[in-house]
Amino acid sequence: MQTILLAAGQGTRMRPLTEHRAKPMLPVADKPLAAHTAETAVEAGASKLIVVVGYESEAVREYFGDEYTGVPVEFAEQTEQRGTADAVRAAEPHLEPGPFAVLNGDALYDEASLTRLYESSPAVGSYRVEDPTQYGVLYTEKSTNDTRVTGVIEKPADPPSNLINTGAYVFPAEAQAWLDVGESERGELELTDVLERACNEHAVTAVPFQQWLDVGRPWELLEANEWKIGELSRKHQGDVHEDATIRGDVVVEAGATVDAGVVIEGPALIKSGATVGPNAYIRGTTLIAEDAKVGHSVEVKNSVLMEGATVGHLSYVGDSILGRDVNFGASTMVANLRHDNEAVKTPVKGEITSTGRRKFGVVCGDDVKTGIQTTLNAGVKLDAGARTKPNEVVLKDPQFEN
Ligand code: TTP
């Protein structure tokens, strides 16, 4: 099945992590987010990948090259991010006659369900949620063997079902000629208009996904890592000191160093060139990326430290994401829990938004540097390149009250 992977979006809800990189290139366990999607697609039966790029496209092109896990890769450039139908239209010249699949390059799908989707053409991937009001929701009807989709509605106050649109589709061959859609109410060219037409002219199956995750906002990057790091098996190829204690499924890659007195509770991934310790404590599904450093008496819990991020001395980092080359001064402390036990809130595109998580720490863009003894409150975001002074207390987000 020829498969279009949408990876051109600007990822504005993921700022500041997408200030200098495309969202599909954010690290999830051992590879970029979109690489998981691409691999699952190939395992499910993708014969060719057409990757639609636009925002910060160079790194995406470089990563995938002209072949990925044994299948050919072609790139289509979407010059202006005008919507998902527009992105697919950019890919259309690369399509051969016949049905085609479309996947979001910022979503994780389980392989068994994606395989079923590919076998059920035309089809759309559905996912059952308790409260669908913030998603695209499918109108469905039962047929003899499966569930048919009859339409889709964006963020309805009164949802027609609990099945939401996962952004995974197999379209019939004729849909290649249907991509010239008009602007939607929110001013975008939307693929759901093409889906509507497919539902009018074909029997479109709703294929239920067992696992699916849309990675649009920073805490969903933590969830993506929880999913994919959770699938790794224990492997120690790096230099692990005999006085270090490692429990559970922890991967220490070749070229990584774990020093004396360190305790790591898996699942966790310590990537090549990273150093941990002495006397550090890592737990709760954590990614320590290439050349990152976790130093003496530092505790890191359920967090992502991107390449070259350094937390050198006596600090606590919980439920947080630190961008590339972030440097935390000694005794930088992150709060990740509110005293009222309510879900932590954080700004997303200028609006205070609940993360839905009781525990959530901070998000630091690339190259943030904190002065010694900086205190960062739960839900704070620091833009790429931001600095704090020694002893600074960042109680609220620099723009908003949390
Ligand atoms: P979105 O998540 O809706 O858009 P985005 O990735 O730009 O993020 P944000 O809303 O935070 O700015 O997009 C869904 C998928 O479609 C995602 O994989 C990106 C892709 N996409 C394109 O390729 N081109 C586009 O013009 C748009 C809007 C999205």
Side-chain angles (χ1 to χ4, degrees):
M1 177 71 66
Q2 48 186 344
T3 298
I4 297 171
L5 194 63
L6 301 183
Q10 301 202 11
T12 48
R13 291 166 301 147
M14 191 59 90
R15 297 275 159 87
L17 302 172
T18 45
E19 267 174 62
H20 302 300
R21 68 169 74 68
K23 185 169 54 172
M25 293 308 288
L26 286 169
V28 174
D30 55 345
K31 51 180 89 72
L33 172 57
H36 290 278
T37 319
E39 272 190 32
T40 310
V42 172
E43 281 157 11
S47 52
K48 164 168 123 172
L49 295 170
I50 304 159
V51 185
V52 183
V53 293
Y55 179 72
E56 296 284 348
S57 63
E58 234 8 82
V60 188
R61 285 176 181 273
E62 208 173 293
Y63 184 85
F64 284 102
D66 51 16
E67 191 195 291
Y68 192 67
T69 58
V71 305
V73 176
E74 292 175 21
F75 294 96
E77 189 85 28
Q78 187 193 19
T79 38
E80 218 186 313
Q81 280 69 60
R82 299 179 63 209
T84 44
D86 183 59
V88 174
R89 195 170 50 180
E92 190 268 328
H94 298 262
L95 287 172
E96 288 144 30
F100 59 100
V102 180
L103 302 175
N104 282 346
D106 62 352
L108 297 176
Y109 303 97
D110 74 279
E111 188 200 323
S113 307
L114 196 59
T115 305
R116 266 200 308 282
L117 183 91
Y118 278 17
E119 291 164 355
S120 310
S121 166
V124 53
S126 67
Y127 190 70
R128 188 172 291 279
V129 297
E130 263 186 29
D131 176 13
T133 52
Q134 296 308 307
Y135 298 92
V137 182
L138 302 176
Y139 288 94
T140 57
E141 65 185 23
K142 279 263 170 243
S143 74
T144 359
N145 298 322
D146 51 24
T147 303
R148 293 275 156 80
V149 183
T150 55
V152 58
I153 179 167
E154 260 320 295
K155 298 186 180 169
D158 187 14
S161 75
N162 283 80
L163 295 178
I164 62 168
N165 177 6
T166 63
Y169 312 90
V170 177
F171 286 106
E174 309 95 280
Q176 295 190 25
W178 300 344
L179 300 170
D180 220 354
V181 299
E183 262 188 21
S184 67
E185 266 175 28
R186 61 174 177 179
E188 286 191 16
L189 306 173
E190 318 251 11
L191 202 52
T192 43
D193 284 355
V194 183
L195 174 64
E196 289 275 2
R197 181 152 177 197
C199 293
N200 290 338
E201 300 190 19
H202 288 264
V204 176
T205 306
V207 174
F209 272 61
Q210 287 156 27
Q211 251 185 309
W212 166 77
L213 181 66
D214 175 40
V215 186
R217 300 164 299 181
W219 58 94
E220 287 155 350
L221 185 66
L222 289 184
E223 287 168 27
N225 275 283
E226 283 158 17
W227 176 346
K228 292 296 171 182
I229 293 175
E231 288 179 350
L232 300 174
S233 305
R234 182 183 176 97
K235 196 179 342 164
H236 300 167
Q237 293 171 322
D239 185 6
V240 178
H241 195 282
E242 60 182 358
D243 290 333
T245 304
I246 297 192
R247 300 187 194 110
D249 286 321
V250 175
V251 176
V252 181
E253 286 187 354
T257 305
V258 176
D259 212 336
V262 168
V263 176
I264 306 179
E265 287 168 3
L269 171 57
I270 318 295
K271 297 211 70 179
S272 163
T275 60
V276 181
N279 302 321
Y281 182 25
I282 292 182
R283 63 191 173 100
T285 316
T286 286
L287 169 63
I288 309 293
E290 290 88 346
D291 304 320
K293 186 171 177 226
V294 176
H296 171 62
S297 292
V298 170
E299 179 173 348
V300 182
K301 180 232 155 190
N302 188 216
S303 293
V304 171
L305 270 59
M306 296 191 199
E307 317 93 86
T310 297
V311 185
H313 333 260
L314 304 156
S315 294
Y316 176 71
V317 180
D319 306 279
S320 296
I321 303 165
L322 275 51
R324 186 186 298 139
D325 295 330
V326 163
N327 188 48
F328 272 11
S331 293
T332 294
M333 290 293 159
V334 170
N336 61 343
L337 175 70
R338 293 167 57 116
H339 283 160
D340 61 8
N341 268 319
E342 290 292 310
V344 174
K345 295 178 191 147
T346 193
V348 173
K349 274 180 103 168
E351 263 181 50
I352 293 293
T353 307
S354 172
T355 62
R357 293 172 74 106
R358 202 170 72 87
K359 299 272 183 81
F360 187 67
V362 299
V363 179
C364 296
D366 294 350
D367 201 35
V368 162
K369 300 206 187 310
T370 64
I372 56 161
Q373 295 195 348
T374 290
T375 297
L376 301 171
N377 202 11
V380 159
K381 277 187 190 175
L382 296 176
D383 283 343
R387 302 282 184 265
T388 66
K389 297 193 176 74
N391 264 326
E392 190 165 331
V393 179
V394 189
L395 270 188
K396 358 184 223 186
D397 190 275
Q399 302 170 63
F400 299 98
E401 193 156 345
N402 292 304

